[in-house]
PDB file of all heavy atoms in Angstrom:
ATOM      1  N   VAL A  70      -3.469  -4.642  33.530  1.00 98.00           N
ATOM      2  CA  VAL A  70      -4.835  -5.047  33.896  1.00 98.00           C
ATOM      3  C   VAL A  70      -5.812  -3.901  33.609  1.00 98.00           C
ATOM      4  O   VAL A  70      -6.859  -4.095  32.986  1.00 98.00           O
ATOM      5  CB  VAL A  70      -4.891  -5.448  35.394  1.00 98.00           C
ATOM      6  CG1 VAL A  70      -6.329  -5.580  35.872  1.00 98.00           C
ATOM      7  CG2 VAL A  70      -4.104  -6.733  35.616  1.00 98.00           C
ATOM      8  N   TYR A  71      -5.422  -2.698  34.029  1.00 98.00           N
ATOM      9  CA  TYR A  71      -6.317  -1.554  33.847  1.00 98.00           C
ATOM     10  C   TYR A  71      -6.546  -1.245  32.369  1.00 98.00           C
ATOM     11  O   TYR A  71      -7.683  -1.045  31.920  1.00 98.00           O
ATOM     12  CB  TYR A  71      -5.744  -0.330  34.580  1.00 98.00           C
ATOM     13  CG  TYR A  71      -6.511   0.936  34.304  1.00 98.00           C
ATOM     14  CD1 TYR A  71      -7.826   1.075  34.758  1.00 98.00           C
ATOM     15  CD2 TYR A  71      -5.946   1.979  33.574  1.00 98.00           C
ATOM     16  CE1 TYR A  71      -8.550   2.231  34.492  1.00 98.00           C
ATOM     17  CE2 TYR A  71      -6.660   3.135  33.309  1.00 98.00           C
ATOM     18  CZ  TYR A  71      -7.957   3.256  33.775  1.00 98.00           C
ATOM     19  OH  TYR A  71      -8.672   4.403  33.497  1.00 98.00           O
ATOM     20  N   ARG A  72      -5.466  -1.250  31.621  1.00 98.00           N
ATOM     21  CA  ARG A  72      -5.623  -0.891  30.206  1.00 98.00           C
ATOM     22  C   ARG A  72      -6.302  -2.011  29.418  1.00 98.00           C
ATOM     23  O   ARG A  72      -7.038  -1.733  28.459  1.00 98.00           O
ATOM     24  CB  ARG A  72      -4.266  -0.487  29.626  1.00 98.00           C
ATOM     25  CG  ARG A  72      -3.906   0.931  30.125  1.00 98.00           C
ATOM     26  CD  ARG A  72      -2.521   1.353  29.833  1.00 98.00           C
ATOM     27  NE  ARG A  72      -2.335   2.788  30.078  1.00 98.00           N
ATOM     28  CZ  ARG A  72      -1.161   3.339  30.372  1.00 98.00           C
ATOM     29  NH1 ARG A  72      -0.070   2.590  30.472  1.00 98.00           N
ATOM     30  NH2 ARG A  72      -1.073   4.644  30.557  1.00 98.00           N
ATOM     31  N   SER A  73      -6.126  -3.249  29.838  1.00 98.00           N
ATOM     32  CA  SER A  73      -6.872  -4.347  29.201  1.00 98.00           C
ATOM     33  C   SER A  73      -8.363  -4.125  29.393  1.00 98.00           C
ATOM     34  O   SER A  73      -9.165  -4.323  28.475  1.00 98.00           O
ATOM     35  CB  SER A  73      -6.519  -5.698  29.816  1.00 98.00           C
ATOM     36  OG  SER A  73      -5.165  -5.993  29.646  1.00 98.00           O
ATOM     37  N   LEU A  74      -8.695  -3.708  30.616  1.00 98.00           N
ATOM     38  CA  LEU A  74     -10.103  -3.434  30.938  1.00 98.00           C
ATOM     39  C   LEU A  74     -10.668  -2.350  30.002  1.00 98.00           C
ATOM     40  O   LEU A  74     -11.738  -2.512  29.405  1.00 98.00           O
ATOM     41  CB  LEU A  74     -10.150  -3.007  32.401  1.00 98.00           C
ATOM     42  CG  LEU A  74     -11.389  -2.524  33.117  1.00 98.00           C
ATOM     43  CD1 LEU A  74     -11.146  -2.670  34.608  1.00 98.00           C
ATOM     44  CD2 LEU A  74     -11.771  -1.106  32.799  1.00 98.00           C
ATOM     45  N   LEU A  75      -9.908  -1.260  29.857  1.00 98.00           N
ATOM     46  CA  LEU A  75     -10.376  -0.178  28.979  1.00 98.00           C
ATOM     47  C   LEU A  75     -10.619  -0.697  27.560  1.00 98.00           C
ATOM     48  O   LEU A  75     -11.670  -0.451  26.962  1.00 98.00           O
ATOM     49  CB  LEU A  75      -9.329   0.943  28.898  1.00 98.00           C
ATOM     50  CG  LEU A  75      -9.008   1.776  30.133  1.00 98.00           C
ATOM     51  CD1 LEU A  75      -7.910   2.792  29.795  1.00 98.00           C
ATOM     52  CD2 LEU A  75     -10.247   2.517  30.640  1.00 98.00           C
ATOM     53  N   LEU A  76      -9.622  -1.397  27.041  1.00 98.00           N
ATOM     54  CA  LEU A  76      -9.613  -1.726  25.610  1.00 98.00           C
ATOM     55  C   LEU A  76     -10.557  -2.864  25.254  1.00 98.00           C
ATOM     56  O   LEU A  76     -10.884  -3.050  24.087  1.00 98.00           O
ATOM     57  CB  LEU A  76      -8.185  -2.049  25.169  1.00 98.00           C
ATOM     58  CG  LEU A  76      -7.166  -0.927  25.459  1.00 98.00           C
ATOM     59  CD1 LEU A  76      -5.769  -1.346  25.058  1.00 98.00           C
ATOM     60  CD2 LEU A  76      -7.570   0.366  24.765  1.00 98.00           C
ATOM     61  N   THR A  77     -10.993  -3.642  26.264  1.00 98.00           N
ATOM     62  CA  THR A  77     -11.926  -4.738  25.979  1.00 98.00           C
ATOM     63  C   THR A  77     -13.362  -4.348  26.331  1.00 98.00           C
ATOM     64  O   THR A  77     -14.251  -5.203  26.363  1.00 98.00           O
ATOM     65  CB  THR A  77     -11.548  -6.018  26.763  1.00 98.00           C
ATOM     66  OG1 THR A  77     -11.497  -5.706  28.166  1.00 98.00           O
ATOM     67  CG2 THR A  77     -10.188  -6.557  26.329  1.00 98.00           C
ATOM     68  N   THR A  78     -13.603  -3.072  26.593  1.00 98.00           N
ATOM     69  CA  THR A  78     -14.970  -2.628  26.897  1.00 98.00           C
ATOM     70  C   THR A  78     -15.895  -2.951  25.721  1.00 98.00           C
ATOM     71  O   THR A  78     -15.646  -2.508  24.603  1.00 98.00           O
ATOM     72  CB  THR A  78     -14.984  -1.108  27.180  1.00 98.00           C
ATOM     73  OG1 THR A  78     -14.179  -0.860  28.332  1.00 98.00           O
ATOM     74  CG2 THR A  78     -16.394  -0.592  27.418  1.00 98.00           C
ATOM     75  N   TRP A 325     -13.519   1.451  39.302  1.00 98.00           N
ATOM     76  CA  TRP A 325     -12.646   0.266  39.333  1.00 98.00           C
ATOM     77  C   TRP A 325     -12.002   0.041  40.700  1.00 98.00           C
ATOM     78  O   TRP A 325     -12.079  -1.047  41.280  1.00 98.00           O
ATOM     79  CB  TRP A 325     -11.588   0.395  38.237  1.00 98.00           C
ATOM     80  CG  TRP A 325     -10.633  -0.758  38.159  1.00 98.00           C
ATOM     81  CD1 TRP A 325     -10.955  -2.082  38.053  1.00 98.00           C
ATOM     82  CD2 TRP A 325      -9.201  -0.674  38.165  1.00 98.00           C
ATOM     83  NE1 TRP A 325      -9.812  -2.837  37.983  1.00 98.00           N
ATOM     84  CE2 TRP A 325      -8.719  -2.004  38.057  1.00 98.00           C
ATOM     85  CE3 TRP A 325      -8.270   0.376  38.239  1.00 98.00           C
ATOM     86  CZ2 TRP A 325      -7.352  -2.304  38.026  1.00 98.00           C
ATOM     87  CZ3 TRP A 325      -6.921   0.078  38.205  1.00 98.00           C
ATOM     88  CH2 TRP A 325      -6.470  -1.235  38.096  1.00 98.00           C
ATOM     89  N   SER A 332     -14.659  -4.646  37.574  1.00 98.00           N
ATOM     90  CA  SER A 332     -14.304  -4.453  36.164  1.00 98.00           C
ATOM     91  C   SER A 332     -15.510  -4.086  35.305  1.00 98.00           C
ATOM     92  O   SER A 332     -15.450  -3.186  34.466  1.00 98.00           O
ATOM     93  CB  SER A 332     -13.675  -5.718  35.590  1.00 98.00           C
ATOM     94  OG  SER A 332     -12.496  -5.994  36.293  1.00 98.00           O
ATOM     95  N   ALA A 335     -16.597  -0.604  35.872  1.00 98.00           N
ATOM     96  CA  ALA A 335     -15.627   0.323  35.285  1.00 98.00           C
ATOM     97  C   ALA A 335     -15.833   0.427  33.774  1.00 98.00           C
ATOM     98  O   ALA A 335     -15.820   1.522  33.202  1.00 98.00           O
ATOM     99  CB  ALA A 335     -14.211  -0.146  35.602  1.00 98.00           C
ATOM    100  N   GLN A 336     -16.051  -0.713  33.137  1.00 98.00           N
ATOM    101  CA  GLN A 336     -16.298  -0.698  31.689  1.00 98.00           C
ATOM    102  C   GLN A 336     -17.610   0.011  31.365  1.00 98.00           C
ATOM    103  O   GLN A 336     -17.699   0.753  30.384  1.00 98.00           O
ATOM    104  CB  GLN A 336     -16.321  -2.125  31.138  1.00 98.00           C
ATOM    105  CG  GLN A 336     -14.942  -2.772  31.168  1.00 98.00           C
ATOM    106  CD  GLN A 336     -14.900  -4.104  30.462  1.00 98.00           C
ATOM    107  OE1 GLN A 336     -15.903  -4.834  30.440  1.00 98.00           O
ATOM    108  NE2 GLN A 336     -13.756  -4.449  29.894  1.00 98.00           N
TER     109      GLN A 336
END
Side-chain angles (χ1 to χ4, degrees):
V70 168
Y71 173 67
R72 284 170 168 155
S73 299
L74 175 160
L75 294 178
L76 304 177
T77 56
T78 298
W325 180 53
S332 298
Q336 291 188 329

